[in-house]
Amino acid sequence: MKRTLVALAIAAAAASTHAAVERIEVTERAPFAPGVTFGEYGAYEKIRGVAYYALDPKAAANAAIVDLTRAPRDKKGRVLFSSEFVLLRPTGPQQTTLLYDVNNRGNIAILGQVNGRSPAQNDPTTAADAGDGFLMRHGFSLLFSAWTWDVAPTVPVAGTPTSRPLVFAPPIAKGVKGKVYNEFTVNTPTDIVTYAGMRGLTYEPATPNDPHAQLTQRPRPGDKRKPIPRSAWKFVAPELQGGPGRVQLEGGFQHDTIYEITYVAKDPYITGAGLAGIRDLLSYFRDHPFEGAPAPRNVLMFGISQSGRLIGRMMHDGLNVDEGGKLVFNGAYLQVPGAGGSAGFNSRFAQPTRHPSMLEEHDYPADAFPFTSAPARDPVTGQTASTLDKARDKQGNLPKLIVANTSTEFWNRGASLVGTTPDGERDVAPADNVRIYGFMGAQHYVGRSNKRAPFTACVSTSDHYLPMRALIVALDDWTVNGKQPPASAYPSLADGTLTTVADYRAIFPKGLGITPPEQNLREPRLNPGMVPPKRGEEYETRVPTPDADGNDRGGVRLVESQAPLGTHTGWNRRAPETGFAWATSRFDGSFVPFARTEAERIAAGDPRPSLETRYPTREDYAAAVRAAAERQIAAGLLLAEDLQRTMTTNLGLYDRIVAHNPADTDCGYLFGK
């Protein structure tokens, strides 16, 4: 089925005066999860289509889009492009909250983390793709669209339907040339390697096999680059058609080394158009009935990791306000964005998939001052600013925001900067329209690895997806009904729950078999006028303070921290055989269970009280979990409907730890594998 809907708002003149969506083409309409009804909201349907945009480069609302004035234009002087979208919504005529999920590297993210099931082939269709149906049972209409171009093709699997990532084809600044740099590492020695970012694409050389390209090596991010003779390496064709280029080195690439290849590229994508496309698609759906359903009662935005940072950049550039001067979303949830994402995504030769962590990619813009939602001063530049300085609509309104990080982002993504001055010397309370939360002891995503490699410890078992569910509902209530969400809960300097890495190492208990890193990520101030950019003074970042068990204090104390079975950290060191043993996993924390008995504890030299001391019986542990869960429910950080899942998950882990022989270093038992 394919048909075109000419923009329906001609009659609704005020809404369409500045509309940048010219038309919508519906390419597919079918039941979603056929045969399943989701509580009072009933059956759902899937609509797939294409939105066609026309941007005026002269409009003030588009002035922030880098290189838009260099894009080809139609006879009316407009820049034209399109993006595919997918909409899941109830089939009934009721008004719902439209929740836009910023896809992550082309992939739908919210269903996996919130509903518990990522859709097969990135194409939500079946009852299985709905997971436990949480978002549907709560009546959200879900919208996804293409916004980024740097999504690498995947190797097809025989007998499996082709995946359907959402990939954007942005306008191009034709004729523009400039240097591009690509950093990469390997975990094991290899002769040929891809030099693009994680699961991504990059700009390829303007001249094939560019003889003037440079390849360098260095042991650490801040060390001097050492050139590798051009005669010792060469470019190699992509593994897949349309995939990222590769490079081959005589003698092979070695672990423990950061490599970087630099060359001249041409015709940069106007990446900021992808952000404008999101803006204008939301503006359109906000104001228009669509395919028999009324306009939504509320519009929210949600993003995980890269996608959360993109929301931060949209607000930093004022791209959350449409050409008519109206907010395109009333509220947004930024999940694990680290320092917030006020850089990247909207610059010449931008590579959206790149972002710094303790080891990687310090020279790529992902975060830059300002970091806080309330004004703060950068003592190095003397500038005072906030992340929301350009985010107000023409009436002065701001969206309501939830920003949540895990312990891992304090080690690998500069998360302390969301709540402190850039020098790390004092706290900065969030603005009235913002709540910030720290999920202590959790890692970037809920861990499921059944082995230690390529790290030194088993990954964290904490589950922060359940409080995410509660906060999504709270954000909807806040923006629709004015009901206040839970108070911000974030580590701070004032109460001693935020500290230096040196202090953390001194406090962290010894005898657990793991040793804290010597550093966390300290992003440099970057001067983008050079390639690679010139580095300035580093921002001062802090980490959560550990308690006597090694569990992080402050922030949101998850059930796993209130009724602990062991130590959960936000860091997990790399195994020496993979190189960079001084660094940490980009996304993973650690878990070290308590000894089962006092005898085992003493034999192991473990300073932490054993399980039998803390919880003499299984019933005692169950009571501790229930009490912790009920406290979270009372605080608005857990939904009553998720109490039983919390009990089952934690008691299951307790049973597996008690049954596990500590001499067995495998990690699979933690996850029932």
Side-chain angles (χ1 to χ4, degrees):
M1 175 182 67
K2 181 181 289 189
R3 64 179 178 278
T4 298
L5 304 175
V6 177
L8 299 176
I10 296 175
S16 63
T17 300
H18 299 275
V21 173
E22 288 217 301
R23 60 188 175 97
I24 297 283
E25 181 182 280
V26 174
T27 59
E28 177 186 352
R29 186 172 185 179
F32 169 69
V36 178
T37 56
F38 299 96
E40 64 180 282
Y41 293 94
Y44 265 61
E45 66 177 342
K46 175 177 68 174
I47 299 175
R48 188 181 288 271
V50 180
Y52 293 87
Y53 306 91
L55 292 185
D56 178 3
K58 297 180 181 179
N62 299 324
I65 302 172
V66 173
D67 281 337
L68 186 65
T69 57
R70 296 176 178 270
R73 307 182 198 183
D74 69 358
K75 293 180 180 178
K76 297 180 181 179
R78 304 170 307 171
V79 178
L80 306 181
F81 59 95
S82 65
S83 68
E84 184 183 17
F85 71 87
V86 178
L87 175 66
L88 304 179
R89 71 178 192 186
T91 56
Q94 66 267 52
Q95 274 193 312
T96 63
T97 289
L98 181 67
L99 179 57
Y100 181 91
D101 173 43
V102 183
N103 76 74
N104 190 295
R105 296 169 175 84
N107 295 314
I108 292 169
I110 195 171
L111 291 176
Q113 294 200 1
V114 177
N115 278 27
R117 175 66 180 256
S118 295
Q121 284 76 52
N122 202 51
D123 184 22
T125 303
T126 67
D129 293 333
D132 71 355
F134 174 84
L135 291 165
M136 293 79 188
R137 286 188 283 105
H138 285 269
F140 291 103
S141 293
L142 303 176
L143 179 63
F144 320 93
S145 70
W147 66 269
T148 187
W149 58 271
D150 64 336
V151 179
T154 56
V155 178
V157 178
T160 301
T162 303
S163 183
R164 302 183 71 175
L166 292 162
V167 184
F168 182 51
I172 297 173
K174 286 284 188 179
V176 174
K177 290 188 176 183
K179 279 191 175 181
V180 169
Y181 54 102
N182 292 281
E183 181 186 298
F184 58 94
T185 62
V186 299
N187 286 337
T188 57
T190 184
D191 291 336
I192 300 176
V193 67
T194 295
Y195 48 80
M198 181 175 59
R199 302 195 309 273
L201 297 174
T202 184
Y203 292 95
E204 300 297 339
T207 302
N209 201 30
D210 186 349
H212 302 293
Q214 293 183 321
L215 179 65
T216 65
Q217 61 184 4
R218 64 192 192 277
R220 293 203 180 205
D223 289 346
K224 185 177 180 180
R225 294 163 170 84
K226 179 181 178 182
I228 297 174
R230 185 64 180 86
S231 59
W233 63 274
K234 63 180 180 180
F235 288 97
V236 179
E239 183 178 9
L240 293 176
Q241 184 176 1
R246 298 182 295 167
V247 65
Q248 183 174 9
L249 176 64
E250 291 180 7
F253 296 96
Q254 304 300 313
H255 70 302
D256 236 12
T257 301
I258 298 172
Y259 296 94
E260 186 175 85
I261 189 168
T262 306
Y263 47 76
V264 173
K266 65 178 182 179
D267 300 341
Y269 294 119
I270 301 172
T271 312
L275 283 62
I278 295 173
R279 176 197 68 186
D280 295 334
L281 188 64
L282 289 180
S283 177
Y284 180 89
F285 276 103
R286 179 198 64 206
D287 294 335
H288 296 85
F290 181 70
E291 288 285 279
R297 65 170 187 166
N298 191 25
V299 179
L300 301 177
M301 201 167 179
F302 179 89
I304 299 168
S305 191
Q306 176 200 55
S307 307
R309 290 187 287 110
L310 177 133
I311 299 173
R313 184 61 196 247
M314 285 182 68
M315 292 186 293
H316 179 271
D317 288 349
L319 294 174
N320 64 308
V321 178
D322 66 16
E323 292 185 355
K326 295 175 63 177
L327 295 177
V328 298
F329 53 83
N330 300 316
Y333 186 139
L334 288 68
Q335 172 66 18
V336 293
S342 55
F345 303 116
N346 185 23
S347 56
R348 183 173 293 177
F349 289 111
Q351 298 186 52
T353 199
R354 303 274 193 179
H355 68 279
S357 63
M358 187 190 297
L359 168 62
E360 300 100 336
E361 301 181 342
H362 289 199
D363 291 332
Y364 293 87
D367 310 293
F369 180 83
F371 303 101
T372 54
S373 56
R377 181 179 181 274
D378 183 353
V380 172
T381 64
Q383 182 184 7
T384 297
S386 84
T387 58
L388 303 179
D389 288 346
K390 299 179 182 179
R392 295 183 183 274
D393 68 7
K394 64 182 180 182
Q395 280 80 36
N397 300 312
L398 286 168
K400 294 178 170 61
L401 306 176
I402 285 176
V403 181
N405 281 301
T406 71
S407 288
T408 294
E409 282 74 59
F410 286 85
W411 288 91
N412 273 327
R413 290 291 299 112
S416 64
L417 292 168
V418 171
T420 73
T421 50
D423 57 6
E425 291 298 318
R426 64 178 182 88
D427 298 316
V428 179
D432 291 342
N433 63 306
V434 179
R435 299 290 185 274
I436 58 176
Y437 305 97
F439 296 138
M440 296 298 93
Q443 62 178 40
H444 193 71
Y445 42 66
V446 171
R448 289 290 182 266
S449 177
N450 63 356
K451 57 185 179 180
R452 294 173 186 265
F455 314 118
T456 57
C458 296
V459 300
S460 178
T461 59
S462 292
D463 184 355
H464 60 282
Y465 292 169
L466 294 186
M468 282 173 58
R469 286 156 65 115
L471 289 174
I472 289 171
V473 173
L475 179 63
D476 194 33
D477 281 343
W478 192 16
T479 47
V480 172
N481 303 316
K483 181 181 177 181
Q484 292 293 312
S488 293
Y490 212 66
S492 68
L493 298 165
D495 66 6
T497 56
L498 202 60
T499 190
T500 64
V501 173
D503 282 345
Y504 181 100
R505 287 170 55 86
I507 298 168
F508 192 81
K510 310 298 187 292
L512 276 60
I514 58 174
T515 303
E518 296 179 0
Q519 65 183 81
N520 67 336
L521 173 65
R522 293 161 54 89
E523 290 187 70
R525 293 167 173 81
L526 297 177
N527 181 345
M530 302 174 62
V531 178
K534 183 179 179 181
R535 294 187 183 193
E537 191 171 329
E538 295 172 336
Y539 296 108
E540 291 287 342
T541 51
R542 303 287 186 251
V543 296
T545 306
D547 63 17
D549 288 328
N551 286 312
D552 290 342
R553 297 169 51 205
V556 176
R557 298 282 286 178
L558 300 175
V559 169
E560 294 90 336
S561 296
Q562 295 187 47
L565 292 172
T567 298
H568 297 86
T569 76
W571 49 268
N572 200 333
R573 297 186 70 149
R574 292 173 60 98
E577 60 269 21
T578 65
F580 309 105
W582 54 269
T584 59
S585 163
R586 201 168 197 173
F587 304 115
D588 301 90
S590 305
F591 177 65
V592 181
F594 299 137
R596 297 178 296 180
T597 66
E598 278 298 289
E600 285 182 358
R601 181 189 74 78
I602 293 169
D606 190 333
R608 305 166 301 165
S610 65
L611 287 176
E612 72 175 3
T613 299
R614 297 168 188 264
Y615 318 109
T617 67
R618 187 179 189 273
E619 289 71 26
D620 291 320
Y621 176 67
V625 172
R626 179 174 292 276
E630 290 175 347
R631 287 192 292 271
Q632 293 292 77
I633 292 171
L637 292 165
L638 185 69
L639 297 173
E641 67 181 271
D642 288 330
L643 173 61
Q644 188 54 53
R645 174 173 155 181
T646 301
M647 296 293 299
T648 300
T649 299
N650 284 278
L651 283 167
L653 180 58
Y654 172 91
D655 291 339
R656 293 192 297 274
I657 291 174
V658 168
H660 182 254
N661 182 351
D664 179 3
T665 60
D666 183 75
C667 302
Y669 77 99
L670 295 173
F671 307 105
K673 299 177 182 178

